[in-house]
Coordinates of all heavy atoms in Angstrom, one line a residue:
S1 N 36.9 -33.0 6.6 CA 36.3 -31.8 6.0 C 36.5 -30.6 7.0 O 36.3 -30.8 8.2 CB 34.9 -32.1 5.7 OG 34.1 -31.0 5.9
T2 N 36.9 -29.5 6.5 CA 37.1 -28.3 7.3 C 35.9 -27.4 7.2 O 35.5 -27.0 6.1 CB 38.4 -27.6 6.8 OG1 39.5 -28.5 6.8 CG2 38.7 -26.4 7.7
A3 N 35.4 -27.0 8.4 CA 34.3 -26.1 8.4 C 34.9 -24.6 8.3 O 35.9 -24.3 8.8 CB 33.5 -26.2 9.7
R4 N 34.1 -23.8 7.6 CA 34.6 -22.4 7.4 C 33.5 -21.5 8.0 O 32.3 -21.7 8.0 CB 34.6 -22.0 5.9 CG 35.8 -22.7 5.2 CD 35.8 -22.1 3.8 NE 36.8 -22.9 3.0 CZ 37.1 -22.5 1.8 NH1 36.6 -21.5 1.2 NH2 38.0 -23.2 1.1
N5 N 34.0 -20.5 8.7 CA 33.1 -19.4 9.2 C 33.0 -18.3 8.1 O 34.1 -17.9 7.6 CB 33.7 -18.8 10.5 CG 33.6 -19.8 11.6 OD1 32.7 -20.6 11.6 ND2 34.5 -19.8 12.5
L6 N 31.8 -18.0 7.8 CA 31.6 -16.9 6.8 C 31.1 -15.7 7.5 O 30.2 -15.7 8.3 CB 30.6 -17.3 5.7 CG 31.1 -18.5 4.9 CD1 29.9 -18.9 3.9 CD2 32.3 -18.2 4.1
L7 N 31.7 -14.6 7.2 CA 31.3 -13.3 7.7 C 30.4 -12.6 6.6 O 31.0 -12.4 5.5 CB 32.4 -12.4 8.1 CG 32.1 -11.0 8.6 CD1 31.3 -11.0 9.8 CD2 33.3 -10.2 8.8
V8 N 29.2 -12.4 6.9 CA 28.3 -11.7 5.9 C 28.0 -10.3 6.4 O 27.4 -10.2 7.4 CB 27.0 -12.6 5.7 CG1 26.1 -11.9 4.7 CG2 27.4 -14.0 5.2
K9 N 28.3 -9.4 5.6 CA 28.0 -8.0 5.9 C 26.8 -7.6 5.0 O 26.9 -7.6 3.8 CB 29.2 -7.1 5.6 CG 28.9 -5.6 6.0 CD 30.1 -4.7 5.8 CE 29.7 -3.3 6.1 NZ 30.8 -2.4 5.8
M10 N 25.7 -7.1 5.7 CA 24.5 -6.7 4.9 C 24.6 -5.2 4.8 O 24.7 -4.5 5.8 CB 23.3 -7.2 5.6 CG 23.2 -8.7 5.7 SD 21.6 -9.3 6.3 CE 20.6 -8.9 5.0
T11 N 24.5 -4.7 3.6 CA 24.4 -3.3 3.4 C 23.1 -3.0 2.7 O 22.6 -3.8 1.9 CB 25.5 -2.8 2.5 OG1 25.5 -3.6 1.2 CG2 26.9 -3.0 3.1
P12 N 22.5 -1.8 3.0 CA 21.2 -1.5 2.4 C 21.3 -1.3 0.9 O 22.3 -0.7 0.5 CB 20.8 -0.2 3.2 CG 22.0 0.3 3.8 CD 22.9 -0.8 3.9
L13 N 20.3 -1.7 0.2 CA 20.2 -1.4 -1.2 C 19.9 0.1 -1.4 O 19.2 0.7 -0.5 CB 19.1 -2.2 -1.9 CG 19.3 -3.7 -1.9 CD1 18.0 -4.4 -2.4 CD2 20.5 -4.1 -2.7
S14 N 20.3 0.7 -2.4 CA 19.9 2.1 -2.7 C 19.6 2.2 -4.2 O 20.1 1.5 -5.0 CB 21.0 3.1 -2.3 OG 22.1 2.9 -3.0
D15 N 18.7 3.2 -4.4 CA 18.3 3.4 -5.8 C 19.3 4.4 -6.4 O 20.2 4.8 -5.7 CB 16.8 3.8 -6.0 CG 16.5 5.1 -5.3 OD1 17.4 5.9 -4.9 OD2 15.3 5.4 -5.1
T16 N 19.0 4.9 -7.6 CA 20.0 5.8 -8.2 C 20.0 7.2 -7.6 O 20.9 7.9 -7.8 CB 19.6 5.9 -9.7 OG1 18.3 6.4 -9.8 CG2 19.8 4.6 -10.5
T17 N 19.0 7.5 -6.8 CA 19.0 8.8 -6.1 C 19.7 8.7 -4.7 O 19.8 9.7 -4.0 CB 17.6 9.3 -5.9 OG1 16.9 8.4 -5.1 CG2 16.9 9.5 -7.3
G18 N 20.1 7.6 -4.3 CA 20.7 7.4 -3.0 C 19.8 7.1 -1.9 O 20.2 6.9 -0.8
N19 N 18.5 7.0 -2.2 CA 17.5 6.6 -1.2 C 17.6 5.1 -0.9 O 17.8 4.3 -1.9 CB 16.1 6.9 -1.7 CG 15.8 8.3 -1.8 OD1 16.1 9.1 -1.0 ND2 15.2 8.7 -2.9
E20 N 17.5 4.7 0.3 CA 17.5 3.3 0.6 C 16.2 2.7 0.1 O 15.1 3.3 0.2 CB 17.7 3.1 2.1 CG 19.1 3.4 2.6 CD 19.4 3.0 4.0 OE1 18.8 1.9 4.4 OE2 20.2 3.6 4.6
I21 N 16.2 1.4 -0.3 CA 15.0 0.7 -0.8 C 14.5 -0.1 0.4 O 15.2 -0.9 1.0 CB 15.4 -0.2 -2.0 CG1 15.9 0.7 -3.1 CG2 14.2 -1.0 -2.4 CD1 16.5 -0.1 -4.3
L22 N 13.2 0.1 0.7 CA 12.5 -0.6 1.8 C 12.1 -2.0 1.4 O 11.6 -2.2 0.2 CB 11.2 0.2 2.1 CG 11.3 1.5 2.8 CD1 10.0 2.1 3.0 CD2 11.9 1.3 4.2
L23 N 12.2 -2.9 2.3 CA 11.6 -4.2 2.2 C 10.2 -4.1 2.8 O 10.0 -3.8 3.9 CB 12.4 -5.2 2.9 CG 11.7 -6.6 3.0 CD1 11.5 -7.2 1.7 CD2 12.5 -7.5 3.9
L24 N 9.1 -4.2 1.9 CA 7.7 -4.1 2.3 C 7.1 -5.5 2.2 O 7.3 -6.2 1.3 CB 7.0 -3.2 1.4 CG 7.5 -1.7 1.4 CD1 6.8 -0.9 0.3 CD2 7.2 -1.1 2.8
Y25 N 6.4 -5.9 3.3 CA 5.8 -7.2 3.3 C 4.5 -7.2 4.2 O 4.4 -6.3 5.0 CB 6.8 -8.3 3.8 CG 7.3 -8.0 5.2 CD1 6.7 -8.6 6.4 CD2 8.3 -7.1 5.5 CE1 7.1 -8.3 7.6 CE2 8.8 -6.8 6.7 CZ 8.2 -7.4 7.8 OH 8.6 -7.2 9.1
P26 N 3.5 -8.1 3.9 CA 3.5 -9.0 2.7 C 3.2 -8.1 1.5 O 2.6 -7.1 1.6 CB 2.3 -9.9 3.0 CG 1.4 -9.1 4.0 CD 2.3 -8.2 4.7
N27 N 3.7 -8.6 0.4 CA 3.5 -7.9 -0.8 C 3.3 -8.9 -2.0 O 4.2 -9.6 -2.3 CB 4.8 -7.0 -1.1 CG 4.6 -5.9 -2.1 OD1 3.5 -5.8 -2.7 ND2 5.6 -5.2 -2.4
P28 N 2.1 -9.0 -2.5 CA 1.0 -8.0 -2.4 C 0.4 -8.1 -1.0 O 0.4 -9.1 -0.3 CB 0.0 -8.5 -3.4 CG 0.5 -9.8 -3.9 CD 1.9 -10.0 -3.5
A29 N -0.1 -6.9 -0.6 CA -0.8 -6.7 0.7 C -2.2 -7.3 0.7 O -2.8 -7.3 -0.3 CB -0.8 -5.2 1.1
G30 N -2.6 -7.8 1.9 CA -3.9 -8.4 1.9 C -4.8 -8.0 3.1 O -6.0 -8.2 3.1
S31 N -4.1 -7.6 4.2 CA -4.8 -7.5 5.5 C -5.1 -6.1 5.9 O -5.6 -5.9 7.0 CB -4.0 -8.2 6.5 OG -2.8 -7.5 6.7
G32 N -4.8 -5.1 5.1 CA -5.0 -3.7 5.5 C -3.8 -3.1 6.2 O -3.8 -1.9 6.6
V33 N -2.8 -3.9 6.4 CA -1.5 -3.4 7.0 C -0.4 -4.0 6.2 O -0.4 -5.1 5.8 CB -1.4 -3.9 8.5 CG1 -0.1 -3.5 9.1 CG2 -2.5 -3.3 9.4
I34 N 0.6 -3.1 6.0 CA 1.8 -3.6 5.4 C 3.0 -3.2 6.3 O 2.9 -2.2 7.1 CB 2.0 -3.0 4.0 CG1 3.1 -3.8 3.2 CG2 2.3 -1.5 4.0 CD1 3.0 -3.6 1.7
Y35 N 4.0 -4.0 6.3 CA 5.1 -3.8 7.2 C 6.4 -3.4 6.4 O 6.6 -3.8 5.3 CB 5.5 -5.0 8.0 CG 4.3 -5.5 8.9 CD1 3.4 -6.4 8.5 CD2 4.1 -4.9 10.1 CE1 2.3 -6.8 9.2 CE2 3.0 -5.2 10.9 CZ 2.1 -6.2 10.4 OH 1.0 -6.6 11.2
A36 N 7.1 -2.4 7.0 CA 8.4 -2.0 6.4 C 9.5 -2.4 7.3 O 9.5 -2.2 8.5 CB 8.4 -0.5 6.2
S37 N 10.5 -3.0 6.7 CA 11.8 -3.3 7.4 C 12.6 -2.1 7.4 O 13.2 -1.7 6.4 CB 12.5 -4.5 6.8 OG 13.6 -4.8 7.5
L38 N 12.7 -1.4 8.6 CA 13.4 -0.1 8.6 C 14.9 -0.2 8.6 O 15.5 -1.0 9.3 CB 13.0 0.7 9.9 CG 11.6 1.2 10.0 CD1 11.4 1.7 11.4 CD2 11.3 2.2 8.9
P39 N 15.5 0.7 7.8 CA 17.0 0.8 7.9 C 17.4 1.4 9.2 O 16.6 2.1 9.9 CB 17.4 1.8 6.8 CG 16.1 2.4 6.3 CD 15.0 1.6 6.8
S40 N 18.6 1.1 9.7 CA 19.0 1.5 11.0 C 19.0 3.0 11.2 O 18.8 3.5 12.3 CB 20.4 1.0 11.3 OG 21.3 1.5 10.4
T41 N 19.2 3.7 10.1 CA 19.2 5.2 10.2 C 17.8 5.8 10.5 O 17.7 7.0 10.8 CB 19.6 5.8 8.8 OG1 18.8 5.3 7.8 CG2 21.1 5.5 8.6
M42 N 16.7 5.0 10.5 CA 15.4 5.5 10.8 C 14.8 4.9 12.0 O 13.7 5.3 12.4 CB 14.5 5.1 9.6 CG 14.9 5.8 8.3 SD 13.6 5.5 7.1 CE 13.6 7.1 6.3
R43 N 15.5 4.0 12.7 CA 14.9 3.4 13.9 C 15.0 4.4 15.1 O 16.0 5.1 15.3 CB 15.7 2.1 14.2 CG 15.5 1.1 13.2 CD 16.2 -0.2 13.5 NE 16.4 -0.9 12.3 CZ 17.4 -1.8 12.0 NH1 18.3 -2.0 13.0 NH2 17.5 -2.4 10.9
G44 N 13.9 4.5 15.9 CA 13.9 5.3 17.0 C 13.8 6.8 16.7 O 14.2 7.7 17.5
K45 N 13.3 7.1 15.5 CA 13.2 8.5 15.0 C 11.8 8.9 14.7 O 10.9 8.0 14.5 CB 14.1 8.7 13.8 CG 15.6 8.4 14.1 CD 16.5 9.3 13.3 CE 17.9 9.1 13.5 NZ 18.5 8.3 14.4
S46 N 11.5 10.2 14.6 CA 10.2 10.6 14.0 C 10.4 10.6 12.5 O 11.4 11.2 12.0 CB 10.0 12.0 14.5 OG 9.8 12.0 15.9
I47 N 9.4 10.1 11.8 CA 9.5 10.0 10.4 C 8.1 10.4 9.8 O 7.1 10.5 10.4 CB 9.8 8.6 9.9 CG1 8.7 7.6 10.2 CG2 11.2 8.1 10.3 CD1 8.9 6.2 9.5
N48 N 8.2 10.8 8.5 CA 7.1 11.1 7.7 C 6.8 10.0 6.7 O 7.8 9.5 6.1 CB 7.3 12.4 6.9 CG 6.1 12.7 6.0 OD1 6.3 12.5 4.8 ND2 5.0 13.2 6.5
I49 N 5.6 9.6 6.6 CA 5.2 8.5 5.6 C 4.3 9.1 4.6 O 3.3 9.8 4.9 CB 4.4 7.4 6.4 CG1 5.3 6.8 7.4 CG2 4.0 6.3 5.3 CD1 4.6 5.8 8.3
R50 N 4.7 9.0 3.3 CA 3.9 9.4 2.2 C 3.7 8.2 1.3 O 4.6 7.5 0.9 CB 4.6 10.5 1.4 CG 4.5 11.8 2.2 CD 5.0 13.0 1.4 NE 4.8 14.2 2.2 CZ 5.6 15.2 2.1 NH1 6.5 15.3 1.2 NH2 5.4 16.3 2.9
I51 N 2.4 8.1 0.8 CA 2.1 7.0 -0.1 C 1.5 7.7 -1.4 O 0.7 8.5 -1.3 CB 1.1 6.0 0.5 CG1 1.7 5.4 1.8 CG2 0.7 5.0 -0.5 CD1 0.8 4.5 2.5
Y52 N 2.0 7.2 -2.5 CA 1.6 7.7 -3.8 C 1.0 6.6 -4.7 O 1.6 5.5 -4.7 CB 2.8 8.4 -4.6 CG 3.4 9.5 -3.8 CD1 4.5 9.3 -3.0 CD2 3.0 10.8 -4.0 CE1 5.1 10.3 -2.3 CE2 3.6 11.8 -3.3 CZ 4.6 11.6 -2.4 OH 5.2 12.6 -1.7
N53 N 0.0 6.9 -5.5 CA -0.4 6.0 -6.5 C 0.4 6.1 -7.8 O 1.3 6.9 -7.8 CB -1.9 6.2 -6.8 CG -2.3 7.5 -7.5 OD1 -1.4 8.1 -8.0 ND2 -3.5 7.9 -7.4
L54 N 0.1 5.2 -8.8 CA 1.0 5.2 -10.0 C 0.9 6.5 -10.8 O 1.9 6.8 -11.5 CB 0.5 4.1 -10.9 CG 1.1 2.7 -10.6 CD1 0.5 1.7 -11.6 CD2 2.6 2.7 -10.6
A55 N -0.2 7.3 -10.6 CA -0.3 8.6 -11.3 C 0.5 9.6 -10.6 O 0.6 10.8 -11.1 CB -1.7 9.0 -11.4
G56 N 1.1 9.3 -9.4 CA 1.9 10.3 -8.7 C 1.0 11.1 -7.7 O 1.6 12.0 -7.0
A57 N -0.3 10.8 -7.5 CA -1.1 11.5 -6.6 C -0.9 10.9 -5.2 O -0.8 9.7 -5.0 CB -2.6 11.3 -7.0
E58 N -0.8 11.8 -4.2 CA -0.5 11.4 -2.8 C -1.8 10.9 -2.2 O -2.9 11.6 -2.3 CB 0.0 12.7 -2.1 CG 0.4 12.4 -0.7 CD 0.9 13.6 0.0 OE1 2.2 13.9 -0.2 OE2 0.2 14.3 0.6
V59 N -1.8 9.7 -1.7 CA -3.0 9.2 -1.1 C -2.9 9.1 0.5 O -3.9 8.8 1.1 CB -3.3 7.8 -1.6 CG1 -3.7 7.9 -3.1 CG2 -2.2 6.8 -1.4
A60 N -1.7 9.3 1.0 CA -1.5 9.3 2.5 C -0.3 10.1 2.8 O 0.7 10.1 2.1 CB -1.4 7.9 3.0
D61 N -0.4 10.9 3.9 CA 0.7 11.7 4.4 C 0.6 11.9 5.9 O -0.4 12.6 6.3 CB 0.7 13.1 3.6 CG 1.9 14.0 4.1 OD1 2.7 13.6 4.9 OD2 1.9 15.1 3.6
Y62 N 1.4 11.3 6.7 CA 1.4 11.5 8.1 C 2.7 11.2 8.7 O 3.6 10.6 8.1 CB 0.3 10.6 8.7 CG 0.5 9.1 8.6 CD1 1.1 8.3 9.6 CD2 0.1 8.4 7.4 CE1 1.3 7.0 9.4 CE2 0.3 7.1 7.3 CZ 0.9 6.3 8.3 OH 1.1 5.0 8.1
N63 N 2.8 11.7 10.0 CA 4.1 11.5 10.8 C 3.8 10.5 11.8 O 2.7 10.3 12.3 CB 4.5 12.8 11.4 CG 4.8 13.9 10.4 OD1 5.2 13.6 9.3 ND2 4.7 15.1 10.8
T64 N 4.9 9.8 12.2 CA 4.9 8.8 13.3 C 6.2 8.7 13.9 O 7.2 9.1 13.3 CB 4.4 7.4 12.7 OG1 4.1 6.6 13.8 CG2 5.4 6.8 11.8
N65 N 6.3 8.0 15.0 CA 7.5 7.7 15.7 C 7.8 6.3 15.6 O 6.9 5.4 15.7 CB 7.5 8.1 17.2 CG 7.3 9.6 17.4 OD1 8.0 10.4 16.8 ND2 6.4 10.0 18.3
T66 N 9.1 6.0 15.3 CA 9.5 4.5 15.1 C 10.1 4.1 16.4 O 10.6 4.9 17.2 CB 10.5 4.4 14.0 OG1 11.7 5.1 14.3 CG2 9.9 4.9 12.6
S67 N 10.1 2.8 16.6 CA 10.8 2.2 17.7 C 12.2 1.8 17.3 O 12.6 2.0 16.2 CB 10.0 0.9 18.2 OG 10.1 -0.1 17.2
E68 N 12.9 1.2 18.2 CA 14.3 0.8 17.9 C 14.3 -0.6 17.1 O 15.4 -1.0 16.7 CB 15.1 0.6 19.2 CG 15.4 1.9 19.8 CD 16.4 2.8 19.0 OE1 17.2 2.3 18.2 OE2 16.3 4.0 19.1
T69 N 13.1 -1.2 16.9 CA 13.1 -2.4 16.2 C 13.1 -2.1 14.7 O 12.9 -1.0 14.2 CB 11.8 -3.2 16.5 OG1 10.7 -2.5 16.1 CG2 11.7 -3.5 18.0
M70 N 13.2 -3.2 13.9 CA 13.3 -3.0 12.4 C 12.0 -2.9 11.8 O 11.9 -2.4 10.7 CB 14.0 -4.3 11.8 CG 15.4 -4.4 12.1 SD 16.2 -5.8 11.3 CE 15.8 -5.6 9.6
R71 N 10.8 -3.3 12.4 CA 9.6 -3.3 11.8 C 8.7 -2.2 12.1 O 8.4 -1.8 13.2 CB 8.9 -4.6 12.2 CG 7.6 -4.9 11.4 CD 7.2 -6.3 11.6 NE 6.1 -6.3 12.6 CZ 5.2 -7.3 12.7 NH1 5.3 -8.4 12.0 NH2 4.3 -7.2 13.7
L72 N 8.1 -1.6 11.0 CA 7.1 -0.5 11.1 C 5.9 -0.9 10.5 O 5.9 -1.4 9.3 CB 7.7 0.8 10.5 CG 6.7 1.9 10.3 CD1 6.4 2.6 11.6 CD2 7.2 2.9 9.3
S73 N 4.7 -0.8 11.1 CA 3.5 -1.2 10.5 C 2.8 0.1 9.9 O 2.9 1.2 10.5 CB 2.5 -1.8 11.5 OG 2.2 -1.0 12.5
I74 N 2.3 -0.1 8.7 CA 1.7 1.0 7.9 C 0.3 0.6 7.6 O 0.0 -0.4 6.9 CB 2.5 1.3 6.6 CG1 3.9 1.7 7.0 CG2 1.8 2.4 5.8 CD1 4.9 1.8 5.7
D75 N -0.7 1.5 8.1 CA -2.1 1.2 7.8 C -2.5 1.6 6.4 O -2.3 2.7 6.0 CB -2.9 2.0 8.8 CG -4.4 1.8 8.6 OD1 -4.9 0.9 7.9 OD2 -5.2 2.6 9.2
I76 N -2.9 0.6 5.6 CA -3.3 0.8 4.3 C -4.8 0.4 4.0 O -5.2 0.3 2.9 CB -2.4 0.1 3.3 CG1 -2.4 -1.4 3.5 CG2 -1.0 0.7 3.3 CD1 -1.7 -2.3 2.5
S77 N -5.5 0.3 5.1 CA -6.9 -0.2 5.1 C -7.8 0.8 4.3 O -8.8 0.4 3.8 CB -7.5 -0.4 6.5 OG -7.5 0.8 7.2
H78 N -7.5 2.1 4.2 CA -8.3 3.1 3.6 C -7.9 3.3 2.1 O -8.5 4.1 1.4 CB -8.1 4.4 4.3 CG -6.7 4.9 4.3 ND1 -5.7 4.4 5.1 CD2 -6.2 5.9 3.6 CE1 -4.6 5.0 4.8 NE2 -4.8 6.0 3.9
I79 N -6.9 2.5 1.6 CA -6.4 2.7 0.2 C -7.0 1.7 -0.7 O -7.1 0.5 -0.4 CB -4.9 2.6 0.2 CG1 -4.3 3.7 1.1 CG2 -4.3 2.8 -1.2 CD1 -2.8 3.7 1.3
A80 N -7.4 2.1 -1.9 CA -8.1 1.2 -2.9 C -7.0 0.3 -3.5 O -5.8 0.5 -3.4 CB -8.7 2.0 -4.0
R81 N -7.5 -0.7 -4.2 CA -6.6 -1.6 -4.9 C -5.7 -0.9 -5.9 O -6.2 0.1 -6.5 CB -7.4 -2.6 -5.7 CG -8.2 -3.6 -4.9 CD -9.0 -4.5 -5.7 NE -9.8 -5.4 -4.8 CZ -10.4 -6.5 -5.2 NH1 -10.3 -6.8 -6.5 NH2 -11.1 -7.2 -4.4
G82 N -4.5 -1.4 -6.1 CA -3.6 -0.7 -7.0 C -2.1 -0.9 -6.6 O -1.8 -1.7 -5.7
V83 N -1.3 -0.2 -7.3 CA 0.2 -0.3 -7.1 C 0.6 1.1 -6.5 O 0.2 2.2 -7.0 CB 1.0 -0.5 -8.4 CG1 2.5 -0.5 -8.2 CG2 0.5 -1.8 -9.0
Y84 N 1.4 1.1 -5.5 CA 1.7 2.3 -4.7 C 3.2 2.4 -4.4 O 3.9 1.3 -4.3 CB 0.9 2.4 -3.4 CG -0.6 2.5 -3.6 CD1 -1.3 1.3 -3.7 CD2 -1.2 3.7 -3.8 CE1 -2.7 1.4 -3.9 CE2 -2.5 3.8 -4.0 CZ -3.3 2.6 -4.1 OH -4.6 2.7 -4.4
S85 N 3.7 3.6 -4.3 CA 5.0 3.8 -3.8 C 4.9 4.4 -2.4 O 4.0 5.2 -2.1 CB 5.7 4.9 -4.7 OG 6.0 4.3 -5.9
V86 N 5.8 4.1 -1.5 CA 5.8 4.7 -0.2 C 7.2 5.3 0.0 O 8.2 4.7 -0.4 CB 5.5 3.6 0.9 CG1 6.5 2.5 1.0 CG2 5.4 4.3 2.3
V87 N 7.2 6.5 0.6 CA 8.4 7.2 0.9 C 8.5 7.5 2.4 O 7.5 8.1 2.9 CB 8.6 8.5 0.1 CG1 9.9 9.2 0.4 CG2 8.5 8.2 -1.4
L88 N 9.5 7.0 3.0 CA 9.7 7.4 4.5 C 10.9 8.3 4.5 O 11.9 8.1 3.9 CB 10.0 6.1 5.3 CG 9.1 4.9 5.2 CD1 9.6 3.8 6.1 CD2 7.7 5.3 5.6
T89 N 10.7 9.4 5.3 CA 11.7 10.4 5.4 C 11.8 10.8 6.9 O 10.7 11.0 7.5 CB 11.4 11.7 4.6 OG1 11.1 11.3 3.3 CG2 12.5 12.7 4.6
T90 N 13.0 10.9 7.5 CA 13.1 11.4 8.8 C 12.6 12.8 8.9 O 12.8 13.6 7.9 CB 14.5 11.2 9.4 OG1 15.4 11.9 8.5 CG2 15.0 9.8 9.5
I91 N 12.0 13.2 10.0 CA 11.5 14.6 10.1 C 12.6 15.6 9.9 O 12.4 16.6 9.3 CB 10.8 14.8 11.5 CG1 9.6 13.8 11.6 CG2 10.4 16.2 11.7 CD1 8.5 14.0 10.6
K92 N 13.8 15.3 10.3 CA 14.9 16.2 10.1 C 15.3 16.2 8.7 O 16.1 17.1 8.3 CB 16.1 15.9 11.0 CG 15.7 16.1 12.5 CD 16.9 15.9 13.4 CE 16.6 16.1 14.8 NZ 17.7 15.9 15.7
G93 N 14.8 15.3 7.9 CA 15.1 15.3 6.4 C 16.4 14.7 6.0 O 16.8 14.8 4.8
N94 N 17.2 14.1 6.9 CA 18.5 13.7 6.6 C 18.6 12.2 6.0 O 19.6 11.8 5.5 CB 19.5 13.9 7.7 CG 19.0 13.4 9.0 OD1 17.8 13.0 9.1 ND2 19.8 13.4 10.0
F95 N 17.5 11.4 6.2 CA 17.5 10.1 5.6 C 16.1 9.8 5.0 O 15.1 10.3 5.5 CB 17.7 9.0 6.8 CG 19.0 9.1 7.4 CD1 19.2 9.7 8.7 CD2 20.2 8.7 6.8 CE1 20.4 9.8 9.3 CE2 21.4 8.8 7.3 CZ 21.5 9.4 8.6
S96 N 16.1 9.1 3.9 CA 14.9 8.7 3.3 C 15.0 7.3 2.7 O 16.1 6.8 2.4 CB 14.4 9.6 2.2 OG 15.3 9.6 1.1
A97 N 13.9 6.6 2.6 CA 13.8 5.3 2.0 C 12.5 5.1 1.3 O 11.5 5.8 1.6 CB 13.9 4.2 3.1
R98 N 12.5 4.3 0.2 CA 11.3 4.1 -0.6 C 11.1 2.7 -1.0 O 12.1 1.9 -1.0 CB 11.3 5.1 -1.8 CG 12.4 4.8 -2.8 CD 12.4 5.8 -3.9 NE 12.5 7.2 -3.5 CZ 11.6 8.2 -3.8 NH1 10.6 7.9 -4.6 NH2 11.8 9.4 -3.4
G99 N 9.9 2.4 -1.3 CA 9.5 1.1 -1.8 C 8.2 1.1 -2.5 O 7.5 2.1 -2.6
R100 N 7.8 -0.1 -3.0 CA 6.5 -0.2 -3.7 C 5.8 -1.4 -3.2 O 6.4 -2.4 -2.8 CB 6.8 -0.4 -5.2 CG 7.1 0.8 -6.0 CD 7.1 0.6 -7.4 NE 7.3 1.9 -8.1 CZ 6.8 2.2 -9.2 NH1 6.1 1.4 -9.9 NH2 7.0 3.4 -9.7
F101 N 4.5 -1.3 -3.2 CA 3.6 -2.4 -2.8 C 2.4 -2.5 -3.7 O 2.0 -1.5 -4.3 CB 3.3 -2.4 -1.3 CG 2.4 -1.2 -0.9 CD1 1.1 -1.3 -0.8 CD2 3.0 0.0 -0.6 CE1 0.3 -0.3 -0.5 CE2 2.2 1.1 -0.2 CZ 0.9 0.9 -0.1
V102 N 1.7 -3.6 -3.6 CA 0.5 -3.9 -4.4 C -0.6 -4.2 -3.5 O -0.4 -5.0 -2.6 CB 0.7 -5.0 -5.4 CG1 -0.6 -5.3 -6.2 CG2 1.8 -4.7 -6.4
I103 N -1.8 -3.7 -3.7 CA -3.0 -4.1 -3.1 C -3.9 -4.8 -4.1 O -4.4 -4.1 -5.0 CB -3.8 -2.9 -2.4 CG1 -2.9 -2.2 -1.4 CG2 -5.1 -3.4 -1.7 CD1 -3.5 -0.9 -0.8
P104 N -4.0 -6.1 -4.1 CA -4.7 -6.8 -5.1 C -6.3 -6.6 -5.0 O -6.8 -6.3 -4.0 CB -4.3 -8.2 -4.9 CG -3.9 -8.3 -3.5 CD -3.5 -7.0 -3.1

């Protein structure tokens, strides 16, 4: 039997507007913190985090600095149960990513 080496190239998913889709976990959220797996274009940058409820009302809006790692923690301890969208945008506005999460 011959072993094969497979090269796997991972590319970010994007929605119809060209925004990258965030991987948010754990989802549903349970501990007051949710984590976002950051695309490489957002690592080590200043970003804006906005969270919206299903009605489109903004429930959080703040800026933070990211590290060079893939994981960003987002405090959701002040947010009520429901379904939410989160939008991350670099402060310079040249990259954005979005995702959804549930607080049961």
Side-chain angles (χ1 to χ4, degrees):
S1 142
T2 304
R4 290 187 188 185
N5 290 327
L6 297 176
L7 177 63
V8 178
K9 181 179 179 186
M10 296 187 71
T11 57
L13 297 173
S14 61
D15 63 16
T16 56
T17 63
N19 293 315
E20 290 193 27
I21 298 173
L22 287 173
L23 171 61
L24 299 170
Y25 59 95
N27 200 357
S31 66
V33 175
I34 196 161
Y35 299 97
S37 182
L38 290 175
S40 60
T41 54
M42 296 188 141
R43 295 181 203 153
K45 302 214 175 358
S46 296
I47 63 168
N48 174 258
I49 299 172
R50 288 191 178 150
I51 299 174
Y52 301 93
N53 64 20
L54 276 181
E58 187 176 274
V59 296
D61 180 3
Y62 62 95
N63 295 335
T64 191
N65 294 315
T66 65
S67 68
E68 290 293 331
T69 63
M70 288 181 59
R71 189 168 97 160
L72 171 71
S73 61
I74 301 171
D75 178 14
I76 57 169
S77 60
H78 63 285
I79 299 175
R81 294 178 182 193
V83 179
Y84 296 90
S85 293
V86 62
V87 179
L88 306 182
T89 307
T90 55
I91 297 299
K92 293 184 179 181
N94 48 352
F95 296 104
S96 67
R98 62 181 60 233
R100 285 189 172 211
F101 65 94
V102 175
I103 302 175

